[in-house]
Amino acid sequence: IFAAQSGYATPKVDVRAAVFRDRKILLVQERSDNLWTLPGGWADVNDSPSEAVEKEVVQESGFKVRTERLLAVFDRAKHPHDPPFPFHIYKMFFLCGIESGEATPSMETASVDFFAPDAIPPLSLSRITNEQIRFCFEAGLNGPKPAAFD
């Protein structure tokens, strides 16, 4: 797995969007494990972080969004994701506002919906944790705060 990597080892970047409607958060159900997560994925080369997260949201949920602010940059290894991943990963969380679109599943996602904090479905722990969802509710709905990290 590491033989194909050349150059200095650097972290991969995972971008995630916290999108709210009526104080509920947007989640997508991944086809790969039938569990739920914030829309997002790997940042592509030549995309800025905001371009990457906006592209992931529309691809996975059908909603066109505008990135409003950075909520956090977390080191995946310092959070209880399961299973562990062989590469080092930085997870960037952004607050995004809906501009247009409607809930539309994709080739990657089986379902798209908004959830209240007390009604979060089973999560894809390799992608998102319950603590990170709670963080997004707090940081996304309770006014601007400095970005969190680690």
Side-chain angles (χ1 to χ4, degrees):
I1 191 167
F2 297 106
Q5 300 292 312
S6 63
Y8 190 78
T10 60
K12 292 185 174 285
V13 177
D14 176 28
V15 294
R16 296 287 158 179
V19 181
F20 293 94
R21 184 168 64 190
D22 301 324
R23 302 191 67 79
K24 295 179 179 179
I25 198 165
L26 174 66
L27 297 178
V28 295
Q29 185 180 30
E30 292 283 342
R31 289 187 188 276
S32 63
D33 61 10
N34 289 318
L35 298 171
W36 294 82
T37 186
L38 294 175
W42 298 122
D44 292 329
V45 172
N46 295 323
D47 280 349
S48 70
S50 64
E51 290 168 337
V53 78
E54 289 170 5
K55 183 167 49 174
E56 288 290 334
V57 174
V58 74
Q59 287 174 352
E60 294 184 356
S61 75
F63 290 105
K64 183 175 188 264
V65 298
R66 179 182 80 285
T67 305
E68 296 176 359
R69 65 184 163 94
L70 175 68
L71 298 177
V73 178
F74 291 140
D75 180 336
R76 185 183 187 275
K78 294 183 184 248
H79 295 259
H81 291 279
D82 187 39
F85 203 78
F87 296 104
H88 201 100
I89 300 168
Y90 289 162
K91 298 180 69 62
M92 301 179 77
F93 291 81
F94 295 91
L95 178 64
C96 297
I98 296 174
E99 291 193 327
S100 63
E102 61 184 49
T104 307
S106 71
M107 291 183 66
E108 292 179 50
T109 59
S111 191
V112 178
D113 208 344
F114 289 85
F115 295 89
D118 60 351
I120 300 299
L123 297 176
S124 179
L125 295 178
S126 68
R127 295 174 179 87
I128 192 76
T129 67
N130 285 299
E131 294 81 12
Q132 290 164 343
I133 293 287
R134 282 194 297 273
F135 167 82
C136 287
F137 271 102
E138 175 65 26
L141 294 178
N142 294 327
K145 296 178 181 171
F149 53 91
D150 292 346

mmCIF file with all atom_site columns, all heavy atoms in Angstrom, residues 2 8 10 21 26 35 42 55 74 78 81 86-87 90 92 97 105-106 117 139 142-143 149:
data_model
loop_
_atom_site.group_PDB
_atom_site.id
_atom_site.type_symbol
_atom_site.label_atom_id
_atom_site.label_alt_id
_atom_site.label_comp_id
_atom_site.label_asym_id
_atom_site.label_entity_id
_atom_site.label_seq_id
_atom_site.pdbx_PDB_ins_code
_atom_site.Cartn_x
_atom_site.Cartn_y
_atom_site.Cartn_z
_atom_site.occupancy
_atom_site.B_iso_or_equiv
_atom_site.pdbx_formal_charge
_atom_site.auth_seq_id
_atom_site.auth_comp_id
_atom_site.auth_asym_id
_atom_site.auth_atom_id
_atom_site.pdbx_PDB_model_num
ATOM 1   N N   . PHE A 1 2   ? 2.013   1.211  0.651  1.00 0.00 ? 2   PHE A N   1
ATOM 2   C CA  . PHE A 1 2   ? 2.876   2.387  0.709  1.00 0.00 ? 2   PHE A CA  1
ATOM 3   C C   . PHE A 1 2   ? 3.889   2.431  -0.428 1.00 0.00 ? 2   PHE A C   1
ATOM 4   O O   . PHE A 1 2   ? 4.482   3.466  -0.683 1.00 0.00 ? 2   PHE A O   1
ATOM 5   C CB  . PHE A 1 2   ? 3.607   2.450  2.058  1.00 0.00 ? 2   PHE A CB  1
ATOM 6   C CG  . PHE A 1 2   ? 2.660   2.611  3.209  1.00 0.00 ? 2   PHE A CG  1
ATOM 7   C CD1 . PHE A 1 2   ? 2.390   1.542  4.057  1.00 0.00 ? 2   PHE A CD1 1
ATOM 8   C CD2 . PHE A 1 2   ? 2.015   3.804  3.439  1.00 0.00 ? 2   PHE A CD2 1
ATOM 9   C CE1 . PHE A 1 2   ? 1.501   1.678  5.107  1.00 0.00 ? 2   PHE A CE1 1
ATOM 10  C CE2 . PHE A 1 2   ? 1.120   3.957  4.480  1.00 0.00 ? 2   PHE A CE2 1
ATOM 11  C CZ  . PHE A 1 2   ? 0.863   2.889  5.318  1.00 0.00 ? 2   PHE A CZ  1
ATOM 12  N N   . TYR A 1 8   ? 7.891   12.758 0.137  1.00 0.00 ? 8   TYR A N   1
ATOM 13  C CA  . TYR A 1 8   ? 7.730   12.860 1.584  1.00 0.00 ? 8   TYR A CA  1
ATOM 14  C C   . TYR A 1 8   ? 6.297   12.519 1.971  1.00 0.00 ? 8   TYR A C   1
ATOM 15  O O   . TYR A 1 8   ? 5.347   12.976 1.328  1.00 0.00 ? 8   TYR A O   1
ATOM 16  C CB  . TYR A 1 8   ? 8.089   14.289 2.019  1.00 0.00 ? 8   TYR A CB  1
ATOM 17  C CG  . TYR A 1 8   ? 8.192   14.461 3.495  1.00 0.00 ? 8   TYR A CG  1
ATOM 18  C CD1 . TYR A 1 8   ? 9.318   14.027 4.188  1.00 0.00 ? 8   TYR A CD1 1
ATOM 19  C CD2 . TYR A 1 8   ? 7.162   15.043 4.213  1.00 0.00 ? 8   TYR A CD2 1
ATOM 20  C CE1 . TYR A 1 8   ? 9.409   14.176 5.562  1.00 0.00 ? 8   TYR A CE1 1
ATOM 21  C CE2 . TYR A 1 8   ? 7.242   15.199 5.585  1.00 0.00 ? 8   TYR A CE2 1
ATOM 22  C CZ  . TYR A 1 8   ? 8.372   14.768 6.252  1.00 0.00 ? 8   TYR A CZ  1
ATOM 23  O OH  . TYR A 1 8   ? 8.460   14.904 7.605  1.00 0.00 ? 8   TYR A OH  1
ATOM 24  N N   . THR A 1 10  ? 2.878   12.821 3.570  1.00 0.00 ? 10  THR A N   1
ATOM 25  C CA  . THR A 1 10  ? 2.064   13.924 4.080  1.00 0.00 ? 10  THR A CA  1
ATOM 26  C C   . THR A 1 10  ? 0.649   13.417 4.337  1.00 0.00 ? 10  THR A C   1
ATOM 27  O O   . THR A 1 10  ? 0.224   12.413 3.757  1.00 0.00 ? 10  THR A O   1
ATOM 28  C CB  . THR A 1 10  ? 2.003   15.094 3.079  1.00 0.00 ? 10  THR A CB  1
ATOM 29  O OG1 . THR A 1 10  ? 1.436   14.614 1.857  1.00 0.00 ? 10  THR A OG1 1
ATOM 30  C CG2 . THR A 1 10  ? 3.386   15.667 2.814  1.00 0.00 ? 10  THR A CG2 1
ATOM 31  N N   . ARG A 1 21  ? -30.748 22.792 8.136  1.00 0.00 ? 21  ARG A N   1
ATOM 32  C CA  . ARG A 1 21  ? -32.050 23.316 7.727  1.00 0.00 ? 21  ARG A CA  1
ATOM 33  C C   . ARG A 1 21  ? -32.992 23.075 8.900  1.00 0.00 ? 21  ARG A C   1
ATOM 34  O O   . ARG A 1 21  ? -33.114 21.941 9.382  1.00 0.00 ? 21  ARG A O   1
ATOM 35  C CB  . ARG A 1 21  ? -32.554 22.621 6.454  1.00 0.00 ? 21  ARG A CB  1
ATOM 36  C CG  . ARG A 1 21  ? -33.863 23.226 5.961  1.00 0.00 ? 21  ARG A CG  1
ATOM 37  C CD  . ARG A 1 21  ? -34.237 22.766 4.585  1.00 0.00 ? 21  ARG A CD  1
ATOM 38  N NE  . ARG A 1 21  ? -34.493 21.332 4.585  1.00 0.00 ? 21  ARG A NE  1
ATOM 39  C CZ  . ARG A 1 21  ? -34.649 20.611 3.481  1.00 0.00 ? 21  ARG A CZ  1
ATOM 40  N NH1 . ARG A 1 21  ? -34.544 21.159 2.294  1.00 0.00 ? 21  ARG A NH1 1
ATOM 41  N NH2 . ARG A 1 21  ? -34.905 19.320 3.565  1.00 0.00 ? 21  ARG A NH2 1
ATOM 42  N N   . LEU A 1 26  ? -27.705 17.899 7.852  1.00 0.00 ? 26  LEU A N   1
ATOM 43  C CA  . LEU A 1 26  ? -27.763 17.056 6.660  1.00 0.00 ? 26  LEU A CA  1
ATOM 44  C C   . LEU A 1 26  ? -26.812 15.865 6.821  1.00 0.00 ? 26  LEU A C   1
ATOM 45  O O   . LEU A 1 26  ? -25.623 16.046 7.109  1.00 0.00 ? 26  LEU A O   1
ATOM 46  C CB  . LEU A 1 26  ? -27.355 17.875 5.428  1.00 0.00 ? 26  LEU A CB  1
ATOM 47  C CG  . LEU A 1 26  ? -27.233 17.111 4.105  1.00 0.00 ? 26  LEU A CG  1
ATOM 48  C CD1 . LEU A 1 26  ? -28.612 16.590 3.652  1.00 0.00 ? 26  LEU A CD1 1
ATOM 49  C CD2 . LEU A 1 26  ? -26.624 18.009 3.040  1.00 0.00 ? 26  LEU A CD2 1
ATOM 50  N N   . LEU A 1 35  ? -24.431 3.098  6.481  1.00 0.00 ? 35  LEU A N   1
ATOM 51  C CA  . LEU A 1 35  ? -24.401 3.959  7.662  1.00 0.00 ? 35  LEU A CA  1
ATOM 52  C C   . LEU A 1 35  ? -24.357 5.413  7.218  1.00 0.00 ? 35  LEU A C   1
ATOM 53  O O   . LEU A 1 35  ? -24.134 5.727  6.052  1.00 0.00 ? 35  LEU A O   1
ATOM 54  C CB  . LEU A 1 35  ? -23.209 3.587  8.547  1.00 0.00 ? 35  LEU A CB  1
ATOM 55  C CG  . LEU A 1 35  ? -23.261 2.149  9.091  1.00 0.00 ? 35  LEU A CG  1
ATOM 56  C CD1 . LEU A 1 35  ? -21.946 1.788  9.768  1.00 0.00 ? 35  LEU A CD1 1
ATOM 57  C CD2 . LEU A 1 35  ? -24.439 1.969  10.037 1.00 0.00 ? 35  LEU A CD2 1
ATOM 58  N N   . TRP A 1 42  ? -12.569 12.785 0.153  1.00 0.00 ? 42  TRP A N   1
ATOM 59  C CA  . TRP A 1 42  ? -11.203 13.236 -0.077 1.00 0.00 ? 42  TRP A CA  1
ATOM 60  C C   . TRP A 1 42  ? -11.185 14.522 -0.885 1.00 0.00 ? 42  TRP A C   1
ATOM 61  O O   . TRP A 1 42  ? -11.930 14.671 -1.857 1.00 0.00 ? 42  TRP A O   1
ATOM 62  C CB  . TRP A 1 42  ? -10.402 12.179 -0.848 1.00 0.00 ? 42  TRP A CB  1
ATOM 63  C CG  . TRP A 1 42  ? -10.242 10.872 -0.161 1.00 0.00 ? 42  TRP A CG  1
ATOM 64  C CD1 . TRP A 1 42  ? -10.628 9.652  -0.640 1.00 0.00 ? 42  TRP A CD1 1
ATOM 65  C CD2 . TRP A 1 42  ? -9.663  10.636 1.126  1.00 0.00 ? 42  TRP A CD2 1
ATOM 66  N NE1 . TRP A 1 42  ? -10.322 8.675  0.279  1.00 0.00 ? 42  TRP A NE1 1
ATOM 67  C CE2 . TRP A 1 42  ? -9.721  9.251  1.366  1.00 0.00 ? 42  TRP A CE2 1
ATOM 68  C CE3 . TRP A 1 42  ? -9.093  11.444 2.098  1.00 0.00 ? 42  TRP A CE3 1
ATOM 69  C CZ2 . TRP A 1 42  ? -9.240  8.664  2.531  1.00 0.00 ? 42  TRP A CZ2 1
ATOM 70  C CZ3 . TRP A 1 42  ? -8.615  10.865 3.255  1.00 0.00 ? 42  TRP A CZ3 1
ATOM 71  C CH2 . TRP A 1 42  ? -8.688  9.507  3.466  1.00 0.00 ? 42  TRP A CH2 1
ATOM 72  N N   . LYS A 1 55  ? -18.195 20.544 -3.876 1.00 0.00 ? 55  LYS A N   1
ATOM 73  C CA  . LYS A 1 55  ? -18.349 19.510 -4.897 1.00 0.00 ? 55  LYS A CA  1
ATOM 74  C C   . LYS A 1 55  ? -18.857 18.209 -4.279 1.00 0.00 ? 55  LYS A C   1
ATOM 75  O O   . LYS A 1 55  ? -19.761 17.560 -4.822 1.00 0.00 ? 55  LYS A O   1
ATOM 76  C CB  . LYS A 1 55  ? -17.013 19.286 -5.610 1.00 0.00 ? 55  LYS A CB  1
ATOM 77  C CG  . LYS A 1 55  ? -17.082 18.278 -6.730 1.00 0.00 ? 55  LYS A CG  1
ATOM 78  C CD  . LYS A 1 55  ? -15.870 18.246 -7.648 1.00 0.00 ? 55  LYS A CD  1
ATOM 79  C CE  . LYS A 1 55  ? -14.559 18.180 -6.951 1.00 0.00 ? 55  LYS A CE  1
ATOM 80  N NZ  . LYS A 1 55  ? -13.421 18.007 -7.883 1.00 0.00 ? 55  LYS A NZ  1
ATOM 81  N N   . PHE A 1 74  ? -9.420  18.470 12.345 1.00 0.00 ? 74  PHE A N   1
ATOM 82  C CA  . PHE A 1 74  ? -9.148  17.422 13.321 1.00 0.00 ? 74  PHE A CA  1
ATOM 83  C C   . PHE A 1 74  ? -8.188  16.391 12.737 1.00 0.00 ? 74  PHE A C   1
ATOM 84  O O   . PHE A 1 74  ? -8.276  16.046 11.554 1.00 0.00 ? 74  PHE A O   1
ATOM 85  C CB  . PHE A 1 74  ? -10.439 16.717 13.748 1.00 0.00 ? 74  PHE A CB  1
ATOM 86  C CG  . PHE A 1 74  ? -11.375 17.555 14.571 1.00 0.00 ? 74  PHE A CG  1
ATOM 87  C CD1 . PHE A 1 74  ? -12.742 17.487 14.361 1.00 0.00 ? 74  PHE A CD1 1
ATOM 88  C CD2 . PHE A 1 74  ? -10.910 18.405 15.564 1.00 0.00 ? 74  PHE A CD2 1
ATOM 89  C CE1 . PHE A 1 74  ? -13.627 18.242 15.128 1.00 0.00 ? 74  PHE A CE1 1
ATOM 90  C CE2 . PHE A 1 74  ? -11.779 19.172 16.336 1.00 0.00 ? 74  PHE A CE2 1
ATOM 91  C CZ  . PHE A 1 74  ? -13.140 19.081 16.108 1.00 0.00 ? 74  PHE A CZ  1
ATOM 92  N N   . LYS A 1 78  ? -6.584  11.136 16.382 1.00 0.00 ? 78  LYS A N   1
ATOM 93  C CA  . LYS A 1 78  ? -6.835  11.575 17.752 1.00 0.00 ? 78  LYS A CA  1
ATOM 94  C C   . LYS A 1 78  ? -8.315  11.479 18.131 1.00 0.00 ? 78  LYS A C   1
ATOM 95  O O   . LYS A 1 78  ? -8.722  11.969 19.175 1.00 0.00 ? 78  LYS A O   1
ATOM 96  C CB  . LYS A 1 78  ? -6.333  13.006 17.953 1.00 0.00 ? 78  LYS A CB  1
ATOM 97  C CG  . LYS A 1 78  ? -4.821  13.107 17.839 1.00 0.00 ? 78  LYS A CG  1
ATOM 98  C CD  . LYS A 1 78  ? -4.336  14.513 18.101 1.00 0.00 ? 78  LYS A CD  1
ATOM 99  C CE  . LYS A 1 78  ? -2.854  14.571 17.880 1.00 0.00 ? 78  LYS A CE  1
ATOM 100 N NZ  . LYS A 1 78  ? -2.108  14.795 19.083 1.00 0.00 ? 78  LYS A NZ  1
ATOM 101 N N   . HIS A 1 81  ? -12.289 6.976  15.613 1.00 0.00 ? 81  HIS A N   1
ATOM 102 C CA  . HIS A 1 81  ? -12.792 6.395  14.364 1.00 0.00 ? 81  HIS A CA  1
ATOM 103 C C   . HIS A 1 81  ? -12.471 4.900  14.349 1.00 0.00 ? 81  HIS A C   1
ATOM 104 O O   . HIS A 1 81  ? -11.461 4.469  14.896 1.00 0.00 ? 81  HIS A O   1
ATOM 105 C CB  . HIS A 1 81  ? -12.144 7.076  13.157 1.00 0.00 ? 81  HIS A CB  1
ATOM 106 C CG  . HIS A 1 81  ? -12.587 8.479  12.970 1.00 0.00 ? 81  HIS A CG  1
ATOM 107 N ND1 . HIS A 1 81  ? -13.771 8.801  12.359 1.00 0.00 ? 81  HIS A ND1 1
ATOM 108 C CD2 . HIS A 1 81  ? -12.015 9.652  13.336 1.00 0.00 ? 81  HIS A CD2 1
ATOM 109 C CE1 . HIS A 1 81  ? -13.906 10.112 12.348 1.00 0.00 ? 81  HIS A CE1 1
ATOM 110 N NE2 . HIS A 1 81  ? -12.855 10.652 12.939 1.00 0.00 ? 81  HIS A NE2 1
ATOM 111 N N   . PRO A 1 86  ? -4.601  3.343  7.402  1.00 0.00 ? 86  PRO A N   1
ATOM 112 C CA  . PRO A 1 86  ? -3.143  3.246  7.271  1.00 0.00 ? 86  PRO A CA  1
ATOM 113 C C   . PRO A 1 86  ? -2.448  4.571  6.966  1.00 0.00 ? 86  PRO A C   1
ATOM 114 O O   . PRO A 1 86  ? -1.256  4.703  7.201  1.00 0.00 ? 86  PRO A O   1
ATOM 115 C CB  . PRO A 1 86  ? -2.953  2.254  6.117  1.00 0.00 ? 86  PRO A CB  1
ATOM 116 C CG  . PRO A 1 86  ? -4.225  2.312  5.343  1.00 0.00 ? 86  PRO A CG  1
ATOM 117 C CD  . PRO A 1 86  ? -5.306  2.642  6.342  1.00 0.00 ? 86  PRO A CD  1
ATOM 118 N N   . PHE A 1 87  ? -3.184  5.559  6.437  1.00 0.00 ? 87  PHE A N   1
ATOM 119 C CA  . PHE A 1 87  ? -2.605  6.865  6.143  1.00 0.00 ? 87  PHE A CA  1
ATOM 120 C C   . PHE A 1 87  ? -2.988  7.859  7.227  1.00 0.00 ? 87  PHE A C   1
ATOM 121 O O   . PHE A 1 87  ? -4.008  7.707  7.892  1.00 0.00 ? 87  PHE A O   1
ATOM 122 C CB  . PHE A 1 87  ? -3.106  7.389  4.787  1.00 0.00 ? 87  PHE A CB  1
ATOM 123 C CG  . PHE A 1 87  ? -2.673  6.547  3.631  1.00 0.00 ? 87  PHE A CG  1
ATOM 124 C CD1 . PHE A 1 87  ? -3.567  5.690  3.023  1.00 0.00 ? 87  PHE A CD1 1
ATOM 125 C CD2 . PHE A 1 87  ? -1.380  6.611  3.148  1.00 0.00 ? 87  PHE A CD2 1
ATOM 126 C CE1 . PHE A 1 87  ? -3.183  4.904  1.945  1.00 0.00 ? 87  PHE A CE1 1
ATOM 127 C CE2 . PHE A 1 87  ? -0.979  5.839  2.074  1.00 0.00 ? 87  PHE A CE2 1
ATOM 128 C CZ  . PHE A 1 87  ? -1.881  4.981  1.472  1.00 0.00 ? 87  PHE A CZ  1
ATOM 129 N N   . TYR A 1 90  ? -6.086  14.453 7.914  1.00 0.00 ? 90  TYR A N   1
ATOM 130 C CA  . TYR A 1 90  ? -6.650  15.646 8.526  1.00 0.00 ? 90  TYR A CA  1
ATOM 131 C C   . TYR A 1 90  ? -8.084  15.758 8.043  1.00 0.00 ? 90  TYR A C   1
ATOM 132 O O   . TYR A 1 90  ? -8.362  15.683 6.845  1.00 0.00 ? 90  TYR A O   1
ATOM 133 C CB  . TYR A 1 90  ? -5.891  16.908 8.130  1.00 0.00 ? 90  TYR A CB  1
ATOM 134 C CG  . TYR A 1 90  ? -4.516  17.040 8.722  1.00 0.00 ? 90  TYR A CG  1
ATOM 135 C CD1 . TYR A 1 90  ? -3.607  17.915 8.154  1.00 0.00 ? 90  TYR A CD1 1
ATOM 136 C CD2 . TYR A 1 90  ? -4.113  16.321 9.838  1.00 0.00 ? 90  TYR A CD2 1
ATOM 137 C CE1 . TYR A 1 90  ? -2.338  18.069 8.691  1.00 0.00 ? 90  TYR A CE1 1
ATOM 138 C CE2 . TYR A 1 90  ? -2.848  16.462 10.372 1.00 0.00 ? 90  TYR A CE2 1
ATOM 139 C CZ  . TYR A 1 90  ? -1.962  17.334 9.795  1.00 0.00 ? 90  TYR A CZ  1
ATOM 140 O OH  . TYR A 1 90  ? -0.697  17.479 10.318 1.00 0.00 ? 90  TYR A OH  1
ATOM 141 N N   . MET A 1 92  ? -11.257 18.198 7.733  1.00 0.00 ? 92  MET A N   1
ATOM 142 C CA  . MET A 1 92  ? -11.655 19.603 7.753  1.00 0.00 ? 92  MET A CA  1
ATOM 143 C C   . MET A 1 92  ? -13.180 19.675 7.729  1.00 0.00 ? 92  MET A C   1
ATOM 144 O O   . MET A 1 92  ? -13.819 19.098 6.851  1.00 0.00 ? 92  MET A O   1
ATOM 145 C CB  . MET A 1 92  ? -11.064 20.344 6.557  1.00 0.00 ? 92  MET A CB  1
ATOM 146 C CG  . MET A 1 92  ? -9.550  20.289 6.505  1.00 0.00 ? 92  MET A CG  1
ATOM 147 S SD  . MET A 1 92  ? -8.875  21.160 5.069  1.00 0.00 ? 92  MET A SD  1
ATOM 148 C CE  . MET A 1 92  ? -9.052  22.850 5.650  1.00 0.00 ? 92  MET A CE  1
ATOM 149 N N   . GLY A 1 97  ? -23.992 26.712 3.678  1.00 0.00 ? 97  GLY A N   1
ATOM 150 C CA  . GLY A 1 97  ? -25.389 27.091 3.540  1.00 0.00 ? 97  GLY A CA  1
ATOM 151 C C   . GLY A 1 97  ? -25.946 26.619 2.213  1.00 0.00 ? 97  GLY A C   1
ATOM 152 O O   . GLY A 1 97  ? -25.260 26.676 1.190  1.00 0.00 ? 97  GLY A O   1
ATOM 153 N N   . PRO A 1 105 ? -30.224 11.138 -3.683 1.00 0.00 ? 105 PRO A N   1
ATOM 154 C CA  . PRO A 1 105 ? -29.165 10.144 -3.509 1.00 0.00 ? 105 PRO A CA  1
ATOM 155 C C   . PRO A 1 105 ? -28.328 10.017 -4.780 1.00 0.00 ? 105 PRO A C   1
ATOM 156 O O   . PRO A 1 105 ? -28.741 10.447 -5.860 1.00 0.00 ? 105 PRO A O   1
ATOM 157 C CB  . PRO A 1 105 ? -29.928 8.850  -3.218 1.00 0.00 ? 105 PRO A CB  1
ATOM 158 C CG  . PRO A 1 105 ? -31.270 9.293  -2.737 1.00 0.00 ? 105 PRO A CG  1
ATOM 159 C CD  . PRO A 1 105 ? -31.554 10.570 -3.484 1.00 0.00 ? 105 PRO A CD  1
ATOM 160 N N   . SER A 1 106 ? -27.152 9.388  -4.630 1.00 0.00 ? 106 SER A N   1
ATOM 161 C CA  . SER A 1 106 ? -26.221 9.284  -5.751 1.00 0.00 ? 106 SER A CA  1
ATOM 162 C C   . SER A 1 106 ? -25.696 7.857  -5.860 1.00 0.00 ? 106 SER A C   1
ATOM 163 O O   . SER A 1 106 ? -26.136 6.962  -5.135 1.00 0.00 ? 106 SER A O   1
ATOM 164 C CB  . SER A 1 106 ? -25.048 10.239 -5.522 1.00 0.00 ? 106 SER A CB  1
ATOM 165 O OG  . SER A 1 106 ? -24.236 9.757  -4.462 1.00 0.00 ? 106 SER A OG  1
ATOM 166 N N   . PRO A 1 117 ? -30.605 16.786 16.650 1.00 0.00 ? 117 PRO A N   1
ATOM 167 C CA  . PRO A 1 117 ? -29.505 16.248 17.460 1.00 0.00 ? 117 PRO A CA  1
ATOM 168 C C   . PRO A 1 117 ? -29.870 14.994 18.262 1.00 0.00 ? 117 PRO A C   1
ATOM 169 O O   . PRO A 1 117 ? -29.011 14.161 18.512 1.00 0.00 ? 117 PRO A O   1
ATOM 170 C CB  . PRO A 1 117 ? -29.130 17.392 18.398 1.00 0.00 ? 117 PRO A CB  1
ATOM 171 C CG  . PRO A 1 117 ? -29.990 18.539 18.074 1.00 0.00 ? 117 PRO A CG  1
ATOM 172 C CD  . PRO A 1 117 ? -30.923 18.158 16.970 1.00 0.00 ? 117 PRO A CD  1
ATOM 173 N N   . ALA A 1 139 ? -20.952 24.215 17.095 1.00 0.00 ? 139 ALA A N   1
ATOM 174 C CA  . ALA A 1 139 ? -20.175 25.227 16.367 1.00 0.00 ? 139 ALA A CA  1
ATOM 175 C C   . ALA A 1 139 ? -20.958 25.850 15.219 1.00 0.00 ? 139 ALA A C   1
ATOM 176 O O   . ALA A 1 139 ? -20.775 27.018 14.901 1.00 0.00 ? 139 ALA A O   1
ATOM 177 C CB  . ALA A 1 139 ? -18.885 24.598 15.841 1.00 0.00 ? 139 ALA A CB  1
ATOM 178 N N   . ASN A 1 142 ? -24.442 27.890 17.011 1.00 0.00 ? 142 ASN A N   1
ATOM 179 C CA  . ASN A 1 142 ? -24.317 28.814 18.145 1.00 0.00 ? 142 ASN A CA  1
ATOM 180 C C   . ASN A 1 142 ? -23.343 29.956 17.899 1.00 0.00 ? 142 ASN A C   1
ATOM 181 O O   . ASN A 1 142 ? -22.588 30.335 18.776 1.00 0.00 ? 142 ASN A O   1
ATOM 182 C CB  . ASN A 1 142 ? -23.943 28.043 19.418 1.00 0.00 ? 142 ASN A CB  1
ATOM 183 C CG  . ASN A 1 142 ? -25.068 27.114 19.843 1.00 0.00 ? 142 ASN A CG  1
ATOM 184 O OD1 . ASN A 1 142 ? -26.238 27.424 19.649 1.00 0.00 ? 142 ASN A OD1 1
ATOM 185 N ND2 . ASN A 1 142 ? -24.709 25.983 20.400 1.00 0.00 ? 142 ASN A ND2 1
ATOM 186 N N   . GLY A 1 143 ? -23.373 30.489 16.699 1.00 0.00 ? 143 GLY A N   1
ATOM 187 C CA  . GLY A 1 143 ? -22.593 31.680 16.398 1.00 0.00 ? 143 GLY A CA  1
ATOM 188 C C   . GLY A 1 143 ? -21.143 31.411 16.099 1.00 0.00 ? 143 GLY A C   1
ATOM 189 O O   . GLY A 1 143 ? -20.608 30.361 16.428 1.00 0.00 ? 143 GLY A O   1
ATOM 190 N N   . PHE A 1 149 ? -9.248  22.593 16.550 1.00 0.00 ? 149 PHE A N   1
ATOM 191 C CA  . PHE A 1 149 ? -8.216  21.800 15.897 1.00 0.00 ? 149 PHE A CA  1
ATOM 192 C C   . PHE A 1 149 ? -7.759  20.671 16.795 1.00 0.00 ? 149 PHE A C   1
ATOM 193 O O   . PHE A 1 149 ? -7.991  20.672 17.990 1.00 0.00 ? 149 PHE A O   1
ATOM 194 C CB  . PHE A 1 149 ? -7.017  22.667 15.469 1.00 0.00 ? 149 PHE A CB  1
ATOM 195 C CG  . PHE A 1 149 ? -6.435  23.499 16.580 1.00 0.00 ? 149 PHE A CG  1
ATOM 196 C CD1 . PHE A 1 149 ? -5.410  23.008 17.364 1.00 0.00 ? 149 PHE A CD1 1
ATOM 197 C CD2 . PHE A 1 149 ? -6.928  24.775 16.831 1.00 0.00 ? 149 PHE A CD2 1
ATOM 198 C CE1 . PHE A 1 149 ? -4.872  23.779 18.393 1.00 0.00 ? 149 PHE A CE1 1
ATOM 199 C CE2 . PHE A 1 149 ? -6.396  25.549 17.853 1.00 0.00 ? 149 PHE A CE2 1
ATOM 200 C CZ  . PHE A 1 149 ? -5.376  25.048 18.630 1.00 0.00 ? 149 PHE A CZ  1
#
